[in-house]
Amino acid sequence: MLQVANIRENKQLVLDGLAKRNKDFSITVDEILQIDETRRKTQKQLDDLLAEANVLSKEIGDLFKSGNKEAAEPKKLRTTEIKEETKKIEVTLAELEEQQKQLLYLIPNVPHKDVVFGKTADENVEVYKWGEIPSLSEVKKPHWDIAAEYQLIDFELGVKITGAGFPVYSGAGARLQRALINFFLDEAQKAGYTEFIPPHVVNEDSGYGTGQLPDKEGQMYYIGADDLYLIPTAEVPLTNLYRDVILKEEELPIKMTGYTPCFRREAGSYGKDVRGLNRLHQFDKVEIVQLAHPSESYAILENMVDHVKGLLQKLELPFRIIRLCGGDMGFTSAMTYDFEVFSAAQERWLEVSSTSNFETFQANRLKCRFKGSDGKTQLVHTLNGSALALPRIVASLLENHQTAEGIRIPKALIPYTGFEFIRKK
RNA sequence: GGAAGGGUGGGUGAGUGGCUGAAACCAACAGUUUGCUAAACUGUCGUACUGGGUAACUGGUACCGGGGGUUCGAAUCCCCCCCCUUCCGCCA
């Protein structure tokens, strides 16, 4: 959520930035500013009345003490009057605040100045490319066929016990999952991230804190009986660890990592786009999260991008990094890099990581601040990235590394799997 | 799930209707002094909204788990909810 004060003071900058999202927010912004003005006037009016009542109350107290009860009576009357008035004003003020908040929820983050204008994914900017696209032999199988053939993942069984989008991993397939998770966590730890095992279920406040609520309510699984949500990503519990916290400047940056399963209801999309591991309701992911000083958040974003880059290189997967254009960027992000791995059998790029700087957009809702050396508190910048999401990594590993001998395990992963090839049973 | 007790500033912890935005102590920060990795002393030391001021700063309001109520006036009384602790029950 944007800060009203920021919109008020830098209206044109905000509007120009938002324009990159290929949407006009000027009407909403104007409405917010209009409400803001009324809100502040109302606030002042209320405060003045309360101040008067406070003075009177004190006087009444003094008069009572000196036994002069009659003299207190008119003052009592006035405070009663004031009270009736303030009650009305308080209601108005609460309404204004609510209206303003609802409108603010509609405004996405302002893209960073380097983010280009764009309508769709076609206008994203490729900033890096690595690896050879393997020229597979005549037998070029998509991962769902490989998964079945090698008995790694059983989609049908998942349907039986839960439903579509909940695969069952078994044998070497399960082992591969666990190997990847451990590999990613170890790499994150080496890079200085502290590992957390957070709850996989969060409350409403946490959902609002990172911005999944209210915008993406339908995306999360909701447990009505306890009013809790299944996490769609570890970003939610990890970032919320610092909700309502004021850090010391020297504590920054905070670097966190965690593995969690992720749950997404995701409606829509059909056909081969969602086949196999391409789109699931439950999947595993290792997330990296940082809370950063505003002056260094973009350097940190680059750093996180490098980290993810390293992971993909160690997994020997051809990939590209693209910087999203305004129109393709998520609601809460100020700048996002997507990582896409080329899946040789499906012959398409699969998104495996999204690494973003949210600047103060999340921090404002989270109320995560730090006290600077000048003694002032200001909002931190929050960043996060998938490092990495498993399913599409597994898909591309299976597809890109398929050989006549079996599925070749990249060198870096062998210590974790304990085998060099996945062979047919 | 049952019973009892409790939730106050970074921490410990006073405070049962006005003198309390909140004692005291600890921690932290700044300074002074003395000097061997420290002590003593002095000062500062919550957050949000809002008015005035370029700013330094300064005025006001709100907040003592959350929400409502009583009262001229509430951290303090009443009601609802949440959470924590202990005991019992259940259980991996």
Side-chain angles (χ1 to χ4, degrees):
Chain A
M1 183 164 70
L2 295 179
Q3 300 162 84
V4 199
N6 183 34
I7 300 180
R8 203 191 303 148
E9 284 152 32
N10 307 301
K11 183 183 166 189
Q12 204 48 51
L13 274 176
V14 168
L15 283 176
D16 290 348
L18 287 173
K20 288 189 206 168
R21 289 183 179 270
N22 189 37
K23 246 187 174 177
D24 184 21
F25 291 94
S26 55
I27 292 170
T28 315
V29 163
D30 283 341
E31 214 174 326
I32 287 171
L33 290 179
Q34 211 177 323
I35 291 174
D36 188 50
E37 211 180 310
T38 325
R39 190 200 106 239
R40 285 153 71 201
K41 271 190 199 141
T42 312
Q43 175 87 55
K44 180 84 174 85
Q45 199 187 350
L46 176 65
D47 285 357
D48 288 348
L49 278 171
L50 288 172
E52 189 188 340
N54 283 342
V55 170
L56 285 172
S57 286
K58 231 161 228 175
E59 288 172 3
I60 293 167
D62 292 341
L63 287 171
F64 267 57
K65 245 177 250 168
S66 59
N68 198 349
K69 294 199 175 176
E70 310 82 66
E73 283 312 311
K75 290 174 192 291
K76 278 177 79 167
L77 276 175
R78 175 61 186 146
T79 47
T80 313
E81 255 174 55
I82 292 177
K83 204 181 177 186
E84 278 165 26
E85 235 176 303
T86 55
K87 268 198 175 154
K88 280 183 213 153
I89 299 176
E90 269 168 5
V91 172
T92 317
L93 185 64
E95 279 168 10
L96 288 167
E97 282 169 352
E98 181 61 24
Q99 280 172 31
Q100 191 175 51
K101 198 173 75 180
Q102 290 307 325
L103 288 171
L104 280 168
Y105 280 151
L106 301 175
I107 310 262
N109 203 352
V110 178
H112 182 269
K113 65 175 169 51
D114 290 350
V115 171
V116 300
F117 170 89
K119 291 180 186 168
T120 65
D122 297 335
E123 285 159 89
N124 292 337
V125 182
E126 183 178 300
V127 293
Y128 185 83
K129 203 169 193 173
W130 184 89
E132 296 282 310
I133 289 166
S135 45
L136 298 176
S137 60
E138 63 294 342
V139 277
K140 164 158 69 162
K141 290 180 183 160
H143 69 269
W144 48 85
D145 286 343
I146 299 171
E149 200 176 314
Y150 289 74
Q151 297 178 41
L152 304 175
I153 305 165
D154 197 320
F155 294 96
E156 315 287 306
L157 258 186
V159 170
K160 173 181 159 192
I161 62 167
T162 305
F166 292 92
V168 175
Y169 305 86
S170 64
R175 177 81 192 202
L176 179 60
Q177 289 290 117
R178 193 151 54 82
L180 283 165
I181 292 164
N182 284 332
F183 170 65
F184 293 147
L185 283 173
D186 282 1
E187 292 294 312
Q189 269 183 15
K190 276 186 220 162
Y193 294 86
T194 305
E195 183 181 348
F196 287 84
I197 303 181
H200 298 168
V201 170
V202 294
N203 58 29
E204 195 182 33
D205 285 346
S206 296
Y208 276 99
T210 31
Q212 277 70 26
L213 293 174
D215 334 309
K216 302 177 198 155
E217 180 137 30
Q219 294 265 39
M220 283 194 286
Y221 286 95
Y222 174 62
I223 304 162
D226 298 293
D227 200 15
L228 295 169
Y229 296 84
L230 262 58
I231 55 169
T233 157
E235 162 198 345
V236 179
L238 289 182
T239 315
N240 272 284
L241 255 23
Y242 285 90
R243 169 153 48 84
D244 289 319
V245 168
I246 300 181
L247 292 153
K248 292 184 196 134
E249 190 169 18
E250 60 268 25
E251 288 178 277
L252 298 173
I254 304 277
K255 303 174 80 175
M256 299 176 276
T257 186
Y259 151 70
T260 67
C262 301
F263 301 91
R264 301 194 182 174
R265 295 182 64 218
E266 334 221 315
S269 264
Y270 303 90
K272 74 175 167 58
D273 280 3
V274 299
R275 264 200 95 170
L277 294 167
N278 290 347
R279 189 169 278 210
L280 301 172
H281 287 308
Q282 179 183 328
F283 62 94
D284 296 303
K285 179 161 64 65
V286 171
E287 185 81 357
I288 50 176
V289 174
Q290 293 210 43
L291 309 180
H293 193 286
S295 69
E296 45 183 23
S297 68
Y298 278 93
I300 283 174
L301 179 63
E302 294 306 316
N303 195 272
M304 290 170 81
V305 166
D306 282 344
H307 177 75
V308 178
K309 211 190 263 185
L311 297 178
L312 291 171
Q313 287 167 345
K314 284 179 186 165
L315 292 177
E316 300 164 35
L317 294 170
F319 67 96
R320 66 180 186 189
I321 304 175
I322 52 181
R323 184 155 72 209
L324 301 190
C325 70
D328 200 29
M329 221 166 44
F331 190 83
T332 52
S333 173
M335 187 186 280
T336 296
Y337 289 101
D338 270 6
F339 287 72
E340 296 180 339
V341 161
F342 194 79
S343 214
Q346 293 182 70
E347 294 183 317
R348 54 189 281 242
W349 295 95
L350 299 176
E351 184 189 329
V352 291
S353 172
S354 190
T355 301
S356 308
N357 188 351
F358 304 95
E359 297 190 3
T360 59
F361 197 84
Q362 284 185 329
N364 187 31
R365 284 200 200 175
L366 285 165
K367 296 203 192 71
C368 177
R369 292 153 292 177
F370 71 95
K371 204 181 268 283
S373 46
D374 57 357
K376 289 193 175 165
T377 55
Q378 54 175 313
L379 296 170
V380 302
H381 281 192
T382 63
L383 302 97
N384 67 52
S386 349
L388 283 158
L390 291 241
R392 294 175 194 159
I393 290 290
V394 170
S396 51
L397 271 178
L398 297 182
E399 294 184 15
N400 290 351
H401 296 179
Q402 56 185 308
T403 70
E405 256 189 281
I407 311 298
R408 184 179 62 80
I409 300 297
K411 206 171 141 227
L413 206 55
I414 295 171
Y416 293 91
T417 53
F419 47 74
E420 291 176 31
F421 276 90
I422 299 173
R423 293 178 215 278
K424 279 182 210 169
K425 284 191 180 165

